[in-house]
Structure formats: C-alpha cells, structure tokens
C-alpha cells in the first residue's frame, strides 16, 4: 500500500494512493498515518479500496507520517559522497538527529534560513519503523520496518560544519525535512536495496545514484541504531545521500530563493520544492 496524508498543514487526513493513481480518503477507517496505526495494520485486512471516497488529485500532500517521534539520520553512507565531502568512509555508521519540527510535505516550499549562505540538497531513502525496536539483530531488522519513503535531507553546510558541535544545527531548520509523497509498505516493497535515486535543481541533474551503493544497508542500520536508542513505530531513519550535493561541486553551489528542487526514488514517487527566502515576521 501507498499511504499518504493529505490536506492543509496540521490538518492532514489519512489517505492511500490506489493502483489507478487516485487518492482515497482513509479517515473513515483510521485517524491518521502514525506510529500506532503502523504498529497494528489489522485495519488494512479486507479493506475495500474502491469504496473509499476519492480526494481531489490536486490536494496538498503532507508528510506521509504524522507525530514522528524521532528523525534519525545517517551521515556519509555512500562512499562517493564521503569522498566529495572530503571525509573518510566511515568504519561505523555516523548518526545524527534532525529536529522533527523540520518535517514538511514533499512539495511544500523550502525556506532558506535567516543568514544562510550554504543551503544544500540530499535525496535519501527514508525507513519508517513499525515496531518497538531495541537490540534487534540484522537478520530480524526488516521485520521492524513498516515501509519506505522519499526524503530530502535539506542541509545548511555552514551551520552544519563551520559552527562547531553537532551536525544537528545544519539539519533542523523548519522545512528541512520534506517527507513523502507516500509511505510504501514493506509488503509492496520487500527489498529497497537497489532503487535508483536522483535530484535536480532548476532542471539540472546533480544527484544520480542507487541505494545499492550504501556503505551500510538498511538491516545493518536498523540493527546498529537499535544498540544506541530504542526505536518506536513512526520513527524515521534517513539513510544517507549519494554523491552530487552542492557541497561536492567545484566550485560549490548552494540554493538561493526562487529555485526548484525535484527529486525521486524508484517506487517512492517524486517531490518538488520551491526555495523561498526567510521573512522576518512583522512585529508591528
Ligand atoms: Zn543526509
């Protein structure tokens, strides 16, 4: 199933994308697409999809998971990306957190933060957790995955790399986490280890990769992370980006207001974001 959340910001309804590409309202069946609903998918058994009301095709799409508890990111998980960043290929997964307040819809505007000069893009495979998870083995790790989604791990490189401390500072501004358009459940995508992924800015393709070149694969990451924190249903792991980010260009290229990012991963749909300038609120 392709699960979605559709509607105005903060007021999204649960929905699914049917096989004909129609958005169907799930709000008569479940309250939201969130951890509790993903942990117990019994509601999906025998679902009469054709009987669900259709929602307008031009509805705003929200992030595909609501009430995300944790957004865990993996750094330098593609060898070529580590190289372009001038950093060694990690011996163990590099973990950092993105504030959940950064999460937004897949096609919402991305705000260039106040005083930002180095805002950058990262197409990534998102893994959505479906079970309480602690110390899970690599062999059992996929049983704890509800499904997969597309993520743009928007990053501000000066905040991330030049201001000391943890990467979280360059990863957490509002709108730095476009997530969706949909969550593909694992029964529909049993294997996410060989998916083409790409990202374009103003029509120019910068990233062209595949999840097959990850340094640490999804089962390894879920197992590894669960040694250091428990994971709950609805938590998201963003698994790193292939080469082609702005930081890796020569000279480096960063986003300005008025640009358009488009990105996609096979089977997980596409996103499109306009970049807009941060507007200081009028204090009157
Ligand atoms: Zn990333």
């Amino acid at each position: 199933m392709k699960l979605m959340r559709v509607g105005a910001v903060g007021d999204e309804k649960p929905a699914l994308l049917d096989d004909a590409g129609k958005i169907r309202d799930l709000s008569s069946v479940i309250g939201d697409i969130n951890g509790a609903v993903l942990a117990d998918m019994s509601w999906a058994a025998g679902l009469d999809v054709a009987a669900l009301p259709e929602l307008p095709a031009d509805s705003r799409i929200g992030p595909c998971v609501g009430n995300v508890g944790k957004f865990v990111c993996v750094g330098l998980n593609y060898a070529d990306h580590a190289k372009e960043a001038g950093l060694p290929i990690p011996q163990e997964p590099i973990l950092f957190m993105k504030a959940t307040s950064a999460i937004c819809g897949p096609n919402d505007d991305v705000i260039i933060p106040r005083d930002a000069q180095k805002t950058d893009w990262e197409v990534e495979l998102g893994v959505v957790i479906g079970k309480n998870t602690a110390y899970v083995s690599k062999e059992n790790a996929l049983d704890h995955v509800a499904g997969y989604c597309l993520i743009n791990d928007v990053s501000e490189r000066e905040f991330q790399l030049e201001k000391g401390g943890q990467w979280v500072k360059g990863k957490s501004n509002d709108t730095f986490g476009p997530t969706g358009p949909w969550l593909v459940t694992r029964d529909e995508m049993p294997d996410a280890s060989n998916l083409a992924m790409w990202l374009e800015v103003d029509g120019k393709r910068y990233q062209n990769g595949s999840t097959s070149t990850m340094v640490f694969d999804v089962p390894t990451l879920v197992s590894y992370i669960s040694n250091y924190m428990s994971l709950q249903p609805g938590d998201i792991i963003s698994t790193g980006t292939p080469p082609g980010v702005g930081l890796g260009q020569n000279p480096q290229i960063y986003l300005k207001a008025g640009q358009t990012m488009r990105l996609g991963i096979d089977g997980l749909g596409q996103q499109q974001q306009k970049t807009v300038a941060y507007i200081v609120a009028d204090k009157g």
Side-chain angles (χ1 to χ4, degrees), residues 73-74 96 122 124 153 155 171 238 240-241:
C73 298
V74 183
F96 61 92
E122 297 190 344
E124 304 202 1
D153 177 20
S155 305
K171 299 285 188 172
S238 201
T241 200

Side-chain angles (χ1 to χ4, degrees), residues 11-62:
D11 195 27
E12 292 91 347
K13 290 178 173 190
L16 64 75
L17 192 72
D18 73 13
D19 292 339
K22 289 178 179 158
I23 302 173
R24 303 275 187 175
D25 188 349
L26 274 174
S27 54
S28 64
V29 183
I30 49 176
D32 200 356
I33 307 294
N34 58 21
V37 162
L38 295 171
D40 178 5
M41 293 284 292
S42 56
W43 57 269
L47 190 67
D48 184 1
V49 172
L52 298 170
E54 214 180 309
L55 292 169
D58 61 353
S59 305
R60 173 189 172 265
I61 303 172

Side-chain angles (χ1 to χ4, degrees), residues 94-156:
I94 292 174
L95 305 182
F96 61 92
M97 307 297 275
K98 183 188 276 286
T100 53
S101 48
I103 296 171
C104 64
N107 305 314
D108 291 349
D109 290 348
V110 164
I111 301 166
I112 309 282
R114 192 177 68 180
D115 301 329
Q117 304 297 326
K118 297 185 177 179
T119 304
D120 202 350
W121 54 83
E122 297 190 344
V123 58
E124 304 202 1
L125 173 71
V127 174
V128 182
I129 296 297
K131 282 186 188 175
N132 286 318
T133 303
Y135 301 111
V136 69
S137 67
K138 216 187 280 192
E139 292 67 34
N140 293 331
L142 284 184
D143 289 342
H144 291 245
V145 171
Y148 302 98
C149 63
L150 173 62
I151 289 170
N152 188 354
D153 177 20
V154 181
S155 305
E156 215 293 340

Side-chain angles (χ1 to χ4, degrees), residues 185-267:
T185 51
R186 203 163 45 82
D187 56 336
E188 189 167 318
M189 182 177 278
D191 182 8
S193 68
N194 187 17
L195 304 174
M197 57 206 301
W198 55 273
L199 183 144
E200 296 174 353
V201 180
D202 291 343
K204 178 172 168 155
R205 185 154 300 201
Y206 286 96
Q207 293 194 276
N208 232 342
S210 165
T211 59
S212 65
T213 67
M214 282 184 184
V215 179
F216 303 104
D217 64 11
V218 170
T220 303
L221 291 173
V222 173
S223 171
Y224 184 89
I225 293 168
S226 80
N227 293 330
Y228 302 102
M229 66 190 84
S230 66
L231 296 166
Q232 283 74 41
D235 285 354
I236 297 178
I237 301 168
S238 201
T239 56
T241 200
V245 299
L247 173 77
Q249 308 301 308
N250 187 16
Q252 295 171 349
I253 296 171
Y254 294 112
L255 294 164
K256 301 269 182 282
Q259 293 190 293
T260 301
M261 290 183 274
R262 236 166 47 84
L263 55 148
I265 297 182
D266 278 359

